[in-house]
Amino acid sequence: MMEAKIQTSQSAEVTYNKEVRMQKLLNIFGIFIFGGLALTNLTNPLPSSDYTKEILFFIGGSALIYYITVNIFFLGNLGRKVAFIILILLSCFSLFMAVYLAVNSMPH
């Protein structure tokens, strides 16, 4: 007589860290954003090499600030506070520069 072997199903839990996945996603977004900005210089070259240097420095500085802020944000609660402080300071500086440039405009 044959006996049936009965196996009980075991549920396996797949655990993953959502924060690590989000950090990787934001880093990949940064590659596309800043890589696309840098490629713009190839498709629409600027008239002067000085302008090209300036835009590449701007893109590099922006990418540096972006990646530092994203990676600090995912360090924990203290990292989140520091990242929010960085964002607040950048916002205040942007508003200050907008007002400053509106008041002290340069003739073109």
Side-chain angles (χ1 to χ4, degrees):
M1 199 168 177
M2 293 182 65
E3 291 184 26
K5 291 185 178 179
I6 300 173
Q7 294 181 344
T8 60
S9 66
Q10 297 176 356
S11 62
E13 288 186 30
V14 178
T15 59
Y16 57 91
N17 192 348
K18 289 183 182 181
E19 287 188 1
V20 172
R21 291 181 66 196
M22 183 60 71
Q23 183 178 7
K24 286 182 182 179
L25 180 68
L26 290 174
N27 285 329
I28 291 170
F29 280 167
I31 291 170
F32 282 111
I33 290 168
F34 297 110
L37 287 172
L39 283 176
T40 302
N41 191 35
L42 294 175
T43 58
N44 291 331
L46 296 171
S48 168
S49 64
D50 290 335
Y51 292 142
T52 303
K53 287 179 187 175
E54 288 177 11
I55 193 71
L56 290 178
F57 280 136
F58 172 76
I59 293 170
S62 299
L64 185 69
I65 291 170
Y66 175 81
Y67 284 112
I68 286 173
T69 306
V70 165
N71 290 309
I72 286 175
F73 181 82
F74 288 102
L75 290 178
N77 287 335
L78 180 63
R80 290 174 198 254
K81 290 177 185 176
V82 170
F84 284 128
I85 290 171
I86 291 171
L87 291 174
I88 290 169
L89 290 175
L90 283 172
S91 300
C92 292
F93 180 72
S94 296
L95 289 172
F96 168 76
M97 287 306 295
V99 171
Y100 176 79
L101 292 173
V103 172
N104 300 317
S105 63
M106 293 176 27
H108 292 286

